[in-house]
Every structure is written in C-alpha cells, then in structure tokens.
Amino acid sequence: MMQLSNLWSLRLGFSARQSKKIERQGFEQFLKKSFATSPDTPESHFLLEAPLTKDNVKDLFKSRRSMSKEDKKTNKERAIKNFKSFQRWWIERMQNADYPLREKMLCFWHNHFVATVKKVKMPYWVYQHNALLRQHAFGNFRELTRAVVNSNAMVSYLDNNKNKKDSINENLSRELLELFTLGIGNYTEKDIKEGAKALAGLSFGEETAVYRRPRENNEVKTYLGQKGNFKADDLIDIIFEQPSAPYLITRKILQWFIYDNPPKSLVLKYGDYLRK
C-alpha cells in the first residue's frame, strides 16, 4: 500500500488525498507520466515592465534620472510585485500540479545552480534561468551544465562579466569545479586559474552569454591535464571526461530524494549508471 511517508521521502509533498489517487494509479505509472511531462514555462506577464535587453536597461536608468523620489519608489515596488507573482506561480505548480516531479527536480537544480534576482538584478535573466532548468530537468547533466555556464544569469551571479584577460576573476571557474561538477579533491588551484583564463571575456549577450573579443585570453591553457586555447564549451567537455565527473551530482540527488548520508556503494553504483 502506498504510504504518504514514502511520497514525502521522495520530496514530492503530497497530501493524503493525493496519495490515494497515486495509489490507485500505481506508483510506476505515476513516475512514467511524471517524466513524460512537457517543460512548460510560465506566461511572462510579470515581466511586462521589466527590462528584457541591455538597451532596455540603459533606457530604464536614463528614465530614472528624471524620476522623482516617489516615482522611483513606486517603480521599484511594482518590479518586486511582478517578480513575486512568478515566485508564487512556481510554488503553486509544485503544490498543485498533477505531476509536479519536474518542478521538484527544478527545485533541486535551482539549489545546485543558484542564481538569485537579488544578485543578478535582471528579472528576465532569472526567468530564463528558471525556464532553462525546467527544460533540462530530466535531461543530460553535461548539456545542462553547458547551458547554465553560458547563461546571462550565471555570468552575472558569479561575476564573470568582470573576468577579463588583464583582470582575471575566478568565481565562475571555481564554482564550476567545486560546486557544480567534480567537487573538492578532484582538481587543483592551477585548474581554477587556467579555467578562469578560458572564461575571460564571457559576458552578457541578448539571450545567452557571449565572448567579447577584446576581453578574451587566447593563450594556451593547461586544464585538467589537457592543453589548448580553451573556451567555456571546451572546459565542460574536459570536465565530463574526468573519472570523478558523475559522483558529486549522484550523491546530491540521493541526498535530495532518499538519504541524508547516502552509502558510498550507492553513490558509485548510480554514478556509474549516470556515466553510461
């Protein structure tokens, strides 16, 4: 018999009424339908007054110069209200969708690839980030990582727009190895420095991040034992060739859904499965 505690242990958060519905359907069928859901994105009505491009941002700042103090306050409050409507939409989806596993997985990825509106400051980029994670929620981890690293939201959140050939910023390079993929002990400080050089010049674009040629570092880099004039996509490919690549994320998924401290044997078992 389906137990409500089983559903809660899977971080699905169903009520007793919903658990009975799933029990009648059968848990295996429920999971199959969960994985078959489409990655719908919310209507962007809450972004109607938010800047969507860099030119929009420039125009917004220009208009603010002539605004009264009261108008600036009203404008800011309206922007906050609009973005909070998106947050409520997402919470409602997690709570009430018939098959909310995609939203729960999106919550997992959001905790893994953190990018907040408070730091990014562009609601549209955070909206894009959420849509990206939803699209790839059940997909290929390498391709998700590639898309996130090349997103305006992550470039902004980890300050890679400040990473230039003559002024290196290591934030994105460090988090890519330490928190996103391999984990501590599977890379060196030199790998972080060389990765930062490879990411130098990756800055804001219209829909995704783009390299700015004057800021790029085109030296040969040595990264995780390989040499070349690497860029962001090259780093991702090299990382996922590493023997340790599957195990950090496998451990985190097991912790998210089942165990506080997953046995090493299971981390290895499912990490090997993920690699295949």
Side-chain angles (χ1 to χ4, degrees), residues 123-133 152-153 206-208:
Y124 179 56
W125 289 351
V126 178
Y127 168 79
Q128 286 182 312
H129 184 66
N130 186 279
L132 177 67
L133 299 181
N152 286 323
E206 291 301 340
E207 292 300 313
T208 63

Side-chain angles (χ1 to χ4, degrees), residues 64-77:
R64 281 178 178 171
R65 291 172 190 164
S66 59
M67 282 184 187
S68 67
K69 187 176 181 180
E70 190 62 32
D71 285 342
K72 286 181 181 179
K73 180 181 178 182
T74 301
N75 189 273
K76 183 178 181 180
E77 288 174 348

Side-chain angles (χ1 to χ4, degrees), residues 11-269:
R11 306 295 197 272
L12 299 178
F14 286 97
S15 67
R17 177 180 58 81
Q18 290 169 313
S19 71
K20 290 178 181 178
K21 180 181 177 181
I22 296 169
E23 184 178 349
R24 289 193 298 270
Q25 182 178 202
F27 197 52
E28 183 176 349
Q29 189 65 20
F30 164 75
L31 287 176
K32 285 182 178 179
K33 289 187 176 182
S34 294
F35 288 123
T37 56
S38 60
D40 297 331
T41 53
E43 295 294 329
S44 57
H45 61 274
F46 52 86
L47 293 171
L48 289 177
E49 298 178 45
L52 304 184
T53 68
K54 291 183 295 180
D55 287 339
N56 291 157
V57 174
K58 291 177 183 177
D59 292 341
L60 179 63
F61 279 113
K62 286 180 182 178
S63 67
R64 281 178 178 171
R65 291 172 190 164
S66 59
M67 282 184 187
S68 67
K69 187 176 181 180
E70 190 62 32
D71 285 342
K72 286 181 181 179
K73 180 181 178 182
T74 301
N75 189 273
K76 183 178 181 180
E77 288 174 348
R78 188 183 299 121
I80 292 172
K81 182 180 178 180
N82 287 341
F83 194 76
K84 283 188 178 298
S85 71
F86 168 57
Q87 294 174 320
R88 287 194 295 271
W89 176 89
W90 186 21
I91 291 171
E92 191 276 334
R93 285 273 294 230
M94 282 193 278
Q95 290 177 329
N96 300 318
D98 287 336
Y99 299 100
L101 185 57
R102 182 179 294 274
E103 302 302 322
K104 305 292 177 166
M105 199 67 206
L106 169 56
C107 190
F108 168 83
W109 289 123
H110 181 72
N111 281 309
H112 186 70
F113 292 116
V114 176
T116 66
V117 71
K118 184 176 181 180
K119 174 70 185 292
V120 175
K121 300 189 187 312
M122 279 278 286
Y124 179 56
W125 289 351
V126 178
Y127 168 79
Q128 286 182 312
H129 184 66
N130 186 279
L132 177 67
L133 299 181
R134 180 176 284 107
Q135 177 187 350
H136 290 271
F138 302 138
N140 184 287
F141 179 38
R142 175 174 58 186
E143 296 314 309
L144 171 57
T145 304
R146 190 191 309 280
V148 168
V149 168
N150 284 286
S151 70
N152 286 323
M154 193 56 68
V155 165
S156 176
Y157 187 73
L158 291 177
D159 305 308
N160 206 72
N161 55 305
K162 301 174 183 176
N163 184 10
K164 310 168 188 177
K165 63 182 180 181
D166 54 355
S167 180
I168 296 297
N169 184 298
E170 298 179 358
N171 288 0
L172 180 55
S173 179
R174 183 176 297 277
E175 302 300 342
L176 174 60
L177 290 172
E178 181 178 328
L179 296 183
F180 296 168
T181 57
L182 302 184
I184 293 173
N186 296 300
Y187 59 86
T188 67
E189 284 296 312
K190 183 177 180 182
D191 292 321
I192 290 173
K193 294 181 185 301
E194 295 290 278
K197 291 178 183 178
L199 293 167
L202 183 65
S203 190
F204 308 138
E206 291 301 340
E207 292 300 313
T208 63
V210 295
Y211 273 95
R212 304 294 179 188
R213 286 186 178 180
R215 300 181 176 187
E216 284 185 77
N217 182 308
N218 288 311
E219 301 171 0
V220 172
K221 297 97 177 168
T222 301
Y223 190 73
L224 294 170
Q226 297 194 36
K227 289 187 177 183
N229 180 19
F230 301 132
K231 300 300 177 186
D233 285 351
D234 302 311
L235 300 187
I236 303 301
D237 289 336
I238 293 170
I239 286 170
F240 281 89
E241 291 173 3
Q242 304 307 302
S244 59
Y247 303 115
L248 175 72
I249 200 65
T250 302
R251 175 178 291 280
K252 291 190 71 170
I253 291 172
L254 287 169
Q255 286 176 322
W256 179 258
F257 284 104
I258 305 174
Y259 303 99
D260 289 331
N261 187 23
K264 184 178 180 180
S265 60
L266 286 184
V267 174
L268 294 175
K269 175 182 177 180

